[in-house]
Amino acid sequence: MTIESFPGSSGYIDAGVDKKITYFSNTYVLGLTVVAGIGGLLFGYDTGVISGALLYIRDEFEAVDQSSFLQETIVSMALVGAMIGAAGGGWINDAYGRKRATLLADVVFALGSFVMALAPDPYVLIFGRLLVGLGVGVASVTAPMYIAEAAPSEIRGGLVSTNVLMITGGQFLSYLVNLAFTEVPGTWRWMLGVAAVPAIVQFLLMLLLPESPRWLYMKKSKSEAIVVLSKIYDPFRLEEELDQLSSALEEEKQRKNAISYLDVFRIKEIRLAFFAGAGLQAFQQFTGINTVMYYSPTIVQMAGFRSNQLALLLSLMVALMNAAGTVVGIHLIDHSGRRKLALSSLFGVILSLILLSVSFFLTSSGFTNVGWIAVLGLTLYIAFFAPGMGPVPWTVNSEIYPESYRGTCSGMSATVNWISNLIVAQCFLSVADAVGTDWTFLILAGIAVAAFVFVYVYVPETKGLTFDEVERIWKERAWGRNYGSESLLEKGVES
């Protein structure tokens, strides 16, 4: 039976026994999710737009055209900024809240966009990329946490995955913008400069939205938190949520010392959670996703399609498949579960990367008219990656850490993502030059096999579990199943 919204402005969720919470049950929560997800749009637009802009930056700056290192640095400097932004973003979120962190990210991102658009040389452009990266890094930590903390546990996966849909939507939008400006004077400047628009829009909308209710309860004002939560839950469910928050607050008060980064490695259950979360983030990158998105026009050209415009058009198809796959993931993540979705996704990724490797091997061996095999491999790769390994790492990391460690651990795991992203982006062209594109994709396929084993061994199922229940999973893993009266590990698998 589908949930009905009750009269009044709150539109809260009736969690009665005969009611089922669905993705569209509460327009208030969905609205918060979409606005927060604009941070994901910034993330996706930046990763997508540079691939097309780079083709025209090379045409304008001869130094860039003649240097693979400069090309990689223009791409990678945003990742350096994102790495720094993510590392500091966890602390900013815990200290000042999810709302202020989002506003800060918007200001820095918009400033970076203007610097890039006006850059007189490659080095000012690189500085603008650094600023944009700082904004993206903070946003990459903040948006999933903000959404997860406002979402009912039954649909938390789908709502957090909406942020990933915004990322893939941003990538698709970037390719549309790239195509739109191919014949406009100052092509790449427009491509990079218009990125300021969604940042400004999010800044204005975010001023109208509340702070995360969980952060408010733990850090600032219980009464303000209750006002927000009352717009999400019916009175009975609200009481349950407040009981859980009260327990979490009491536990935090009992800690004698302030939270530190060393605690993440010192406390066993936190260490296990971080290992699983950070591992997912690392494997998301090392299985090659942003290699495909950053360099897809270049890969298409390497496959034999030399026209800049045709390369961008084919890359647009790849980005569209990425967004469509994420929509599928939004549905599956709260039905099939995080773990099963990740494993099936990785299985397909392995096969797709092998196909890509074969296509480039045939090209290097003198076979003609095999470029479409590479394009097919890219498309299949996205079709398998997008529903699973796209949303799962971000969803899992938004829900596996205790309240007091959520900002710190989310920031650290996002930093791992960006460091991995940086390594792949900085090395891909160089490795492809050294060993060949065919062997490069085969190496990525081997990494995907390792990722499959990692998820199977270390990542538990968290579908439908409350934050408290997820926390108990790690305590059970750390101290044995006798820790709780009912095994949450089994509950997560069976739910």
Side-chain angles (χ1 to χ4, degrees), residues 278-339:
L280 277 172
Q281 294 284 33
F283 279 122
Q284 184 190 65
Q285 296 304 319
F286 283 118
T287 50
I289 180 58
N290 280 321
T291 295
V292 172
M293 299 314 298
Y294 289 140
Y295 294 113
S296 54
T298 305
I299 291 170
V300 169
Q301 287 185 331
M302 290 165 71
F305 302 94
R306 299 298 176 187
S307 161
N308 282 1
Q309 211 163 1
L310 179 58
L312 288 176
L313 184 60
L314 291 171
S315 298
L316 180 65
M317 294 168 57
V318 172
L320 179 61
M321 180 68 73
N322 197 13
T326 307
V327 173
V328 175
I330 288 175
H331 171 74
L332 292 178
I333 200 164
D334 284 318
H335 290 80
S336 300
R338 287 71 157 137
R339 189 169 181 269

Side-chain angles (χ1 to χ4, degrees), residues 96-141:
Y96 299 104
R98 309 347 179 186
K99 181 174 179 176
R100 289 181 182 176
T102 301
L103 295 173
L104 175 64
D106 289 332
V107 170
V108 175
F109 188 95
L111 179 61
S113 298
F114 292 134
V115 170
M116 289 190 298
L118 300 173
D121 58 57
Y123 306 101
V124 175
L125 173 61
I126 288 169
F127 176 67
R129 295 285 295 157
L130 177 67
L131 289 176
V132 163
L134 287 170
V136 167
V138 175
S140 71
V141 177

Side-chain angles (χ1 to χ4, degrees), residues 3-24:
I3 257 186
E4 298 176 359
S5 294
F6 284 75
S9 60
S10 65
Y12 58 70
I13 290 173
D14 182 343
V17 293
D18 62 338
K19 300 289 185 179
K20 181 181 178 183
I21 297 176
T22 67
Y23 182 83
F24 295 102

Side-chain angles (χ1 to χ4, degrees), residues 55-115:
L55 299 174
Y56 296 94
I57 292 169
R58 288 165 56 184
D59 291 341
E60 180 164 337
F61 297 123
E62 187 178 349
V64 175
D65 188 48
Q66 295 177 352
S67 171
S68 289
F69 177 77
L70 259 184
Q71 292 174 42
E72 289 173 339
T73 302
I74 288 170
V75 172
S76 302
M77 192 50 65
L79 306 183
V80 173
M83 185 176 65
I84 298 169
W91 176 82
I92 292 170
N93 270 274
D94 280 344
Y96 299 104
R98 309 347 179 186
K99 181 174 179 176
R100 289 181 182 176
T102 301
L103 295 173
L104 175 64
D106 289 332
V107 170
V108 175
F109 188 95
L111 179 61
S113 298
F114 292 134
V115 170

Side-chain angles (χ1 to χ4, degrees), residues 214-483:
R214 297 184 74 88
W215 187 88
L216 283 172
Y217 193 94
M218 301 291 287
K219 304 285 187 178
K220 186 181 178 184
S221 168
K222 292 182 182 179
S223 60
E224 288 182 42
I226 292 170
V227 169
V228 178
L229 288 168
S230 67
K231 295 180 180 180
I232 302 172
Y233 301 108
D234 69 75
F236 177 76
R237 179 69 177 271
L238 176 61
E239 187 175 342
E240 289 183 346
E241 294 293 322
L242 291 176
D243 286 344
Q244 291 179 16
L245 282 170
S246 179
S247 298
L249 182 59
E250 188 61 32
E251 184 177 330
E252 184 169 312
K253 286 180 178 178
Q254 290 174 2
R255 300 183 192 277
K256 295 181 180 179
N257 301 317
I259 301 301
S260 75
Y261 289 101
L262 290 178
D263 288 340
V264 176
F265 303 101
R266 183 176 57 82
I267 302 171
K268 189 174 181 180
E269 58 266 33
I270 307 297
R271 184 170 69 245
L272 290 173
F274 177 71
F275 180 67
L280 277 172
Q281 294 284 33
F283 279 122
Q284 184 190 65
Q285 296 304 319
F286 283 118
T287 50
I289 180 58
N290 280 321
T291 295
V292 172
M293 299 314 298
Y294 289 140
Y295 294 113
S296 54
T298 305
I299 291 170
V300 169
Q301 287 185 331
M302 290 165 71
F305 302 94
R306 299 298 176 187
S307 161
N308 282 1
Q309 211 163 1
L310 179 58
L312 288 176
L313 184 60
L314 291 171
S315 298
L316 180 65
M317 294 168 57
V318 172
L320 179 61
M321 180 68 73
N322 197 13
T326 307
V327 173
V328 175
I330 288 175
H331 171 74
L332 292 178
I333 200 164
D334 284 318
H335 290 80
S336 300
R338 287 71 157 137
R339 189 169 181 269
K340 188 184 297 183
L341 191 57
L343 290 172
S344 58
S345 173
L346 284 166
F347 180 77
V349 162
I350 293 165
L351 297 180
S352 303
L353 288 170
I354 291 172
L355 179 61
L356 277 167
S357 178
V358 169
S359 70
F360 281 98
F361 173 77
L362 292 174
T363 301
S364 64
S365 299
F367 288 85
T368 56
N369 299 321
V370 295
W372 283 105
I373 299 177
V375 174
L376 176 63
L378 286 177
T379 305
L380 288 175
Y381 174 93
I382 292 296
F384 283 115
F385 185 98
M389 283 302 288
V392 168
W394 295 106
T395 300
V396 169
N397 273 279
S398 73
E399 63 190 5
I400 60 174
Y401 307 117
E403 190 73 37
S404 52
Y405 287 90
R406 190 166 298 128
T408 298
C409 289
S410 294
M412 290 171 66
S413 65
T415 303
V416 170
N417 184 293
W418 289 111
I419 290 173
S420 305
N421 196 332
L422 173 63
I423 292 170
V424 172
Q426 192 68 25
C427 296
F428 175 75
L429 288 181
S430 300
V431 172
D433 288 343
V435 303
T437 312
D438 50 351
W439 278 101
T440 303
F441 281 112
L442 198 59
I443 290 169
L444 293 175
I447 294 172
V449 171
F452 186 96
V453 174
F454 177 87
V455 172
Y456 186 82
V457 175
Y458 294 109
V459 179
E461 182 56 71
T462 55
K463 181 187 73 171
L465 300 181
T466 66
F467 286 117
D468 267 3
E469 289 171 333
V470 174
E471 187 174 348
R472 282 173 53 201
I473 283 182
W474 299 110
K475 289 180 178 177
E476 287 178 16
R477 287 200 165 194
W479 310 113
R481 292 196 175 188
N482 290 331
Y483 176 84

